[in-house]
């Protein structure tokens, strides 16, 4: 029983990290129409940026900010130099997916070439242990959950109450009509890349904090979890991604109580394939 | 020439298409402030293509378009909105997942912070029925309500020129008549130039000050509704052949 | 010397894999981001079939099986495993899922299977992988040092790659391959032509999977080890890069890509890395991956068709030398010298091509598996279509008749109680203002949409509840309003793709080879050329359909519909956006068809066309039939004039 409660705790942490990444990924897809499979690779670049800052003696929160900035810039560049030109030429969606896989290789293995294949971890305190009912969490883990909650609320506020957020939703729903309203769609798309890039950098850092030690290829599997969460909630649907992250996070960790931990990802895999087969539009239906 | 420098829309010899052969050739139309101009013609005569060319959705390969005396030929859609052109497409005319209020806010995207509220009040005064449904997603509105929202969204900016692409398509006849006789007329009464493309010729003639007849991608006839209805060639332009003979 | 042999074996393995991938991606348009798992499955299965039980070598590795089977059984098993593994993925590449979403599903599968095999040791020894896999024909020997054996292995591998090439060539250059390419260009239209998309995609997955499995067997039997590190998802990207660079849909391109990318690139950098021990161990492999990523983006931008683009299938005026061509009379199926084996294959072939769904009702005579009885040769003179393969029903005067047909969309009556009849042999026009329900009615008649109420009769029998493809097989065929040609097929190929019951248009038929289907093909080509002549498009027979003008593409669509041997055509605005001169030519062609017995119902908004060609003309307004008569009569009727002006 206590094992089950503990696994719910782990599930919440995984879900927290996953939610940040999945919301970033799904917003990117909704507004820009790019199914960016390089997302996890950019996360890695962010995690290493934070590592570099951290290793230079700065606190990890400063490293996190640096990671967010670096990933925002990297994402904007990817769009400006690669995805946008392909889209202007009218490339098929599948071509863009293949190109994004190419970008994933470039980013991930550039990081690997620079850093070598050695695992690294941040110099930071995990903080004291806190007991909440049956849950046992460190301060750092609580912070991850807290950050994720703040991000979710912030994304909700952005989409519902700000001019930019509404313009993003309008652009996602009907790009030409948005332009007819005077919205500069290309600027909204650029800002979306910056914003989701920052989310990606944040996700990369909290992912690295969560796993402890990481290498350039650590996020390969995490991409699968992101995709599972995104497709579960419905591609392009921000609230769907949040829900998907919660389900996937809890399902993988709680299932580890009943099946060997090595196979916990299989649960995510089965959920994803089942969703694709039965209801490709996802739990929450059409795109925002 | 009205006092505030608004002269409406003028298109001279516009030629445009979707890449291959031009679909419309050398079409000239005018829409004056406070007046309703209409373009009628059978299916496939190039009416919608004309509107897309006028709003920057489609490239103009010949001719020029000006709004309030400023040339805007081939400006991108977002600049057309800034130049004072409001466009209500035939389909995909609202942001379906957004609420009615959010749709109107997007219509007023170019307005300053303090102007959105008054503009929305104005729109709700013109289309009072929208007031009761501000929190509904636009995708869940009925056909008539949806078209009203689409027009209200454009009205947020009080554009110099309204371009309406077959607003009554897919509307029941009674609702269509009301839309044309009440709402469209209102837009002009508020000082905008209205250019409306329609297939329901009789109904739109009743609310027009000036009407253009298109056929085969070209302008066939033009005149006041009274002049056109007196001309047997007008009916022939819809049904072909020589109507007066039979 | 040994290094060269290694390279040759790798070349053979990668060439096979790239051929399999090109068959899926370049020919059938199925993006399989999980391709590598099929190679892996083949390698593992070959290994455990050839290995002795895992207790043999002191039990230092664990795996299932361990059958110690002699060559070539492990290789056969590997190919079978790769093919069988494809079956569960059929649901992902079915018609309901967007291509890029399906690709993501396959990518996810590849990554997770790798994780599973890595973590689950009892299956294939987990992370460490299986080792000491016996080499073929060397029972009990693990390491073969004999030069002659290695040279022989390389030659054997290359020979096997050549066989694979021959096999995919045979499939791709058959009518079945043409159907695969049609599906790649526009799957919805292929569907409407009666092609079974799920079966076609499954076929591509199974073929490619079996080839990948075999390539894995060739590799594992040579290197003797196989572990999860050898088949990370990124290896699939390498193969994709090879196919993109070499040229999608071109077999020589696939082989060239295999030599350039996996072989040239990977193996040679591995060589550099080995000869420069001072470099950081991870640097070169990492940079190599970066370079792969760059190559993908650069090639897709600069030369998306690859170094060797897919070549155009030009069909010469005489497809085969006259001394080999069969006389037209003997061109019927089951006839001619090939009767024996051909008949046996015909059963298997048509069974494989048969669409799901039982037979019954009036359609029975023309259901899939059409009886191989009457000859399929071109009819003598007149409208170039073959003799009937189905018993013609009792001729009725009204070939099509509806009784109170209605269609509701969310409370709106798009079609409201339409009762009409179309006389055999007429070119009937259907006009009406926008939103009158013309296109919807056409969809109801063709079965694209189901009527909410009312009944539809065709050739005197009720068809209200038959799906679209069954109506098409009864001879009631429609065209669409939007251009729907297969862009990267030639005009002639577009026409040929619609031939129903073509013997070469099935997997087994394609495998059987040209001799088996060339009579059907020759007859189809003759028929297609007749149509091209009739509509004046002969000059463009071997042009890509995507390169024609808008009007010519509409013509291609009409001709393609005619190739499916209809008795009645439903045309949706065939002259929209067509140059008036060409429109007139289309009209004349259609009227001539009607004189020869065809019936056509045509929606059109250009009333001048109606004046000239259509009699009678039916007017619809607000979902109902308003009037019927000649155009001149209709103009005199007030309600018609009103409908057009008031809408």
């Amino acid at each position: 029983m206590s094992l089950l409660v503990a696994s719910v705790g782990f599930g919440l942490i995984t879900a927290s990290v996953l939610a940040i990444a999945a919301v970033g990924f799904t917003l990117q897809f909704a507004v820009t129409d790019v199914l960016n499979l390089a997302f996890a690779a950019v996360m890695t670049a962010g995690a290493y940026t934070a590592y570099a800052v951290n290793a230079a003696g700065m606190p990890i929160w400063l490293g996190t900010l640096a990671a967010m900035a670096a990933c925002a810039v990297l994402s904007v560049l990817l769009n400006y130099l690669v995805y946008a030109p392909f889209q202007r030429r009218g490339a098929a969606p599948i071509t863009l997916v293949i190109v994004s896989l190419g970008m994933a290789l470039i980013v991930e293995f550039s990081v690997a070439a620079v850093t070598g294949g050695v695992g690294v971890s941040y110099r930071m305190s995990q903080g004291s242990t806190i007991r909440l009912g049956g849950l046992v969490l460190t301060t750092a883990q609580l912070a991850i959950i807290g950050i994720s909650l703040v991000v979710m609320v912030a994304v909700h506020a952005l989409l519902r109450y700000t001019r930019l957020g509404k313009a993003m939703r309008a652009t996602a729903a009907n790009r030409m009509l948005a332009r007819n309203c005077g919205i500069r769609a290309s600027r909204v798309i650029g800002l979306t890349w910056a914003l989701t890039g920052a989310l990606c950098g944040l996700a990369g850092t909290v992912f690295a904090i969560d796993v402890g030690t990481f290498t350039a290829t650590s996020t390969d599997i995490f991409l699968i979890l992101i995709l599972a969460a995104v497709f579960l909630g419905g591609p392009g649907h921000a609230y769907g991604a949040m829900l998907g992250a919660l389900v996937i996070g809890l399902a993988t960790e709680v299932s580890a109580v009943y099946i060997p931990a090595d196979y916990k990802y299989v649960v995510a895999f089965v959920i994803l394939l089942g969703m694709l087969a039965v209801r490709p539009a996802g739990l929450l239906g059409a795109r925002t | 020439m009205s006092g505030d420098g608004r002269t409406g829309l003028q298109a001279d010899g516009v030629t445009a298409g979707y890449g291959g052969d031009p679909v419309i050739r050398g079409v000239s139309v005018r829409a004056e402030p406070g007046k309703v101009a209409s373009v009628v013609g059978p299916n496939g005569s190039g009416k919608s293509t004309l509107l897309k060319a006028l709003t920057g959705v489609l490239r103009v390969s010949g001719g020029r378009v000006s709004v309030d005396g400023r040339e805007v030929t081939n400006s991108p859609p977002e600049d057309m909105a800034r130049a004072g052109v409001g466009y209500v497409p035939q389909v995909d005319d609202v942001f379906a997942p957004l609420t009615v209020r959010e749709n109107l806010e997007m219509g007023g995207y170019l307005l300053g912070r303090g102007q959105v509220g008054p503009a929305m009040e104005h729109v709700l005064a013109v289309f009072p029925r929208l007031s009761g449904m501000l929190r509904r997603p636009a995708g869940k509105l009925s056909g008539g309500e949806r078209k009203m929202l689409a027009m209200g969204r454009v009205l947020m900016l009080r554009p110099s020129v309204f371009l309406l692409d077959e607003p009554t398509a897919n509307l029941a006849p009674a609702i269509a008549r009301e839309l044309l006789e009440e709402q469209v007329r209102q837009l002009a009464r508020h000082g905008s130039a209205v250019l409306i493309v329609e297939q329901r010729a009789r109904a739109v003639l009743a609310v027009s000050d000036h009407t253009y007849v298109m056929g085969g991608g070209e302008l066939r006839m033009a005149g006041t509704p009274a002049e056109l209805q007196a001309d047997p060639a007008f009916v022939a332009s819809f049904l072909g052949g020589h109507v007066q003979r039979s | 010397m040994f290094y060269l042999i290694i390279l040759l074996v790798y070349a053979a393995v990668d060439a096979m894999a790239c051929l399999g991938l090109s068959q899926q991606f370049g020919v059938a348009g199925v993006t399989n981001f999980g391709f590598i798992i099929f190679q892996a499955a083949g390698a593992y299965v070959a290994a455990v079939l050839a290995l002795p039980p895992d207790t043999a070598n002191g039990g230092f590795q664990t795996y299932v099986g361990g059958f110690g089977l002699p060559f070539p059984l492990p290789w056969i098993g590997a190919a079978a495993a790769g093919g069988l593994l494809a079956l569960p993925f059929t649901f992902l590449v079915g018609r309901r899922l967007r291509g890029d979403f399906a690709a993501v599903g396959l990518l996810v599968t590849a990554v997770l299977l790798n994780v599973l095999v890595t973590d689950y040791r009892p299956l294939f020894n987990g992370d460490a992988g299986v080792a000491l896999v016996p080499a073929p024909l060397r029972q009990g020997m693990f390491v073969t040092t004999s030069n002659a054996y290695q040279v022989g292995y390389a030659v054997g591998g290359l020979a096997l790659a050549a066989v694979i090439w021959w096999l995919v060539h045979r499939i791709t250059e058959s009518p079945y391959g043409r159907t695969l390419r049609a599906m790649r260009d526009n799957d919805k239209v292929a569907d409407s032509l009666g092609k079974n998309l799920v079966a076609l995609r499954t076929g591509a997955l199974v073929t490619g999977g079996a080839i990948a499995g075999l390539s894995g067997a060739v590799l594992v039997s040579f290197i003797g080890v196989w572990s999860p590190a050898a088949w990370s998802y990124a290896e699939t990207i390498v193969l994709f890069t090879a196919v993109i660079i070499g040229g999608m849909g071109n077999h020589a391109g696939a082989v060239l890509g295999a030599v350039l990318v996996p072989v040239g690139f990977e193996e040679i950098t591995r060589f550099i890395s080995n000869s420069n021990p001072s470099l950081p161990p991870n640097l070169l492999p990492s940079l190599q991956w970066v370079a792969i990523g760059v190559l993908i983006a650069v090639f897709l931008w600069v030369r998306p068709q690859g170094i060797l683009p897919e070549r155009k299938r030009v069909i010469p005026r005489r497809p085969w030398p006259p001394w080999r061509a069969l006389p037209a009379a003997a061109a019927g199926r089951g006839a001619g010298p090939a009767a024996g084996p051909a008949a046996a294959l015909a059963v298997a072939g048509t069974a494989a091509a048969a669409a799901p769904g039982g037979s019954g009702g009036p359609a029975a005579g023309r259901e899939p598996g059409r009886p191989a009885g009457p000859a399929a040769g071109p009819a003598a003179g007149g409208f170039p279509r073959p003799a009937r393969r189905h018993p013609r029903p009792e001729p009725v005067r009204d070939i099509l008749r509806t009784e109170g047909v209605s269609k509701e969309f969310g409370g709106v009556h798009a079609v409201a109680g339409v009762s009409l009849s179309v006389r055999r042999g007429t070119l009937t026009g259907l006009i009406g203002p926008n939103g009158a329900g013309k296109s919807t009615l056409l969809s109801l008649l063709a079965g694209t949409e189901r009527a909410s109420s009312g009944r539809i009769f065709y050739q005197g029998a009720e068809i209200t509840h038959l799906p679209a493809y069954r109506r098409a097989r009864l001879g009631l065929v429609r065209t669409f309003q939007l251009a729907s040609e297969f862009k990267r097929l030639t005009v002639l190929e577009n026409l040929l793709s619609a031939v129903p019951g073509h013997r070469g248009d099935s997997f087994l038929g394609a495998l059987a080879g040209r001799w088996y289907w060339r009579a059907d093909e020759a007859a189809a080509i003759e028929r297609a050329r007749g149509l091209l002549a009739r509509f004046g498009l002969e000059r463009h027979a071997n042009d890509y359909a995507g390169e024609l003008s808008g009007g010519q593409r509409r013509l291609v669509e009409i001709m393609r519909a005619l190739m499916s041997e209809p008795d009645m055509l439903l045309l949706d605005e065939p002259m929209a956006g067509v140059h008036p001169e060409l429109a007139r030519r289309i009209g004349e062609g259609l009227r001539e068809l009607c004189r020869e017995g065809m019936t056509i119902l045509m929606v059109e908004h250009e009333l001048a066309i109606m004046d000239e060609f259509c009699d009678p003309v039916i007017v619809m307004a607000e979902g109902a039939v308003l009037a019927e008569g000649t155009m001149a009569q209709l103009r005199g009727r007030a309600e018609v004039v009103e409908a057009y002006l008031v809408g």
Side-chain angles (χ1 to χ4, degrees), chain A residues 159-160 163-164 166-167 169-171 173-174 176-186 188 287-288, chain B residues 55 57 76-79 81-82 87 89 92-95 97-98 102 105-107 109-111 153 157:
Chain A
L159 292 178
R160 287 289 144 190
R163 204 168 106 100
L164 172 64
K166 289 176 199 168
R169 285 166 60 214
T171 307
N174 188 337
M176 188 47 91
L177 193 66
R179 296 180 66 194
N180 285 326
C181 289
I183 299 171
R184 294 203 187 282
S186 57
V188 171
R287 288 166 53 170
T288 38
Chain B
T55 50
V57 174
E78 43 267 63
D79 289 343
R82 286 175 171 78
Y87 172 45
D92 288 334
D93 51 352
V94 297
F95 300 106
L98 273 63
E102 287 169 335
E105 284 170 359
M106 287 300 105
Y109 188 77
L110 295 176
L111 296 175
R153 176 183 55 69
L157 289 182

Side-chain angles (χ1 to χ4, degrees), chain C residues 363-534:
Chain C
R366 212 176 166 170
E367 279 297 323
R370 291 177 176 186
F383 172 56
R385 66 181 154 169
R388 294 282 140 195
R389 293 173 191 174
H390 56 103
R392 185 190 282 277
E394 281 299 298
V396 284
R397 192 186 73 111
D398 293 333
I399 184 167
L400 187 77
R401 190 160 56 82
T402 71
E403 284 177 7
V405 167
S406 297
K407 179 68 181 178
E408 262 185 80
F409 291 111
V412 180
H413 285 275
V415 172
V418 167
S419 298
L420 55 77
S421 50
V422 178
R423 278 195 314 281
R424 187 181 297 282
T426 59
L427 176 45
T428 302
L430 184 58
I431 63 169
N434 241 359
K438 307 176 300 267
S439 285
T440 310
L441 178 64
L442 213 62
S443 292
L444 298 180
L445 297 179
T448 324
E449 305 257 11
R450 293 302 179 83
S452 313
S453 60
R455 302 169 77 189
I456 304 170
F457 298 88
Y458 174 71
Q459 306 271 31
E462 182 164 2
I463 57 165
T464 318
H465 303 292
L466 290 185
Y469 79 94
R470 293 269 299 272
R471 298 188 199 189
R473 287 183 179 152
L474 285 171
L476 181 62
V477 174
R478 75 168 295 182
T479 65
F480 291 87
Q481 211 170 353
L482 298 171
S484 62
E485 77 285 351
F486 302 121
K487 287 189 170 50
R488 284 187 292 164
L489 264 60
T490 66
V491 170
L492 202 46
E493 284 185 303
N494 262 277
L495 266 55
L496 296 176
S497 70
V499 175
H502 194 309
R503 285 163 54 132
D505 192 8
S506 71
F507 184 75
L508 291 176
L511 276 190
R514 176 159 282 171
W515 65 268
Y516 174 66
W517 47 261
R518 79 158 178 235
D520 274 13
E521 183 79 349
I525 290 174
E526 191 162 327
R527 224 148 59 72
R529 287 209 182 271
L531 280 173
L532 286 171
R534 168 183 294 239

Side-chain angles (χ1 to χ4, degrees), chain C residues 259-433:
Chain C
V259 171
L260 287 179
V261 184
V263 180
F265 213 73
E266 280 200 74
E267 310 307 332
I268 287 167
T269 47
R270 203 163 289 172
F271 177 73
I272 297 172
S273 165
N274 291 341
S275 54
N276 294 287
S278 58
L279 289 170
N282 248 333
L283 185 63
L284 264 177
S286 294
L287 290 181
Q288 181 187 309
W289 286 116
V290 172
I292 296 256
V294 172
L295 274 177
I296 292 177
V298 167
F299 256 85
L300 283 177
W301 182 257
V302 178
R303 199 177 163 83
Q305 73 275 38
I307 297 173
L308 300 174
E310 179 175 24
R311 59 177 190 80
K312 191 193 266 182
R313 273 81 173 176
V314 172
I315 300 177
R317 274 225 61 98
R318 241 177 219 293
W320 295 288
W323 50 270
R324 285 184 65 188
L326 300 173
R333 54 183 42 180
L345 267 163
V347 174
T350 46
S359 57
R366 212 176 166 170
E367 279 297 323
R370 291 177 176 186
F383 172 56
R385 66 181 154 169
R388 294 282 140 195
R389 293 173 191 174
H390 56 103
R392 185 190 282 277
E394 281 299 298
V396 284
R397 192 186 73 111
D398 293 333
I399 184 167
L400 187 77
R401 190 160 56 82
T402 71
E403 284 177 7
V405 167
S406 297
K407 179 68 181 178
E408 262 185 80
F409 291 111
V412 180
H413 285 275
V415 172
V418 167
S419 298
L420 55 77
S421 50
V422 178
R423 278 195 314 281
R424 187 181 297 282
T426 59
L427 176 45
T428 302
L430 184 58
I431 63 169

Side-chain angles (χ1 to χ4, degrees), chain B residues 139-154:
Chain B
K140 299 227 165 107
L141 301 184
S142 76
E145 293 163 349
R146 186 182 160 115
K147 200 45 90 175
M148 229 181 274
L149 172 60
M151 285 163 51
R153 176 183 55 69
V154 173

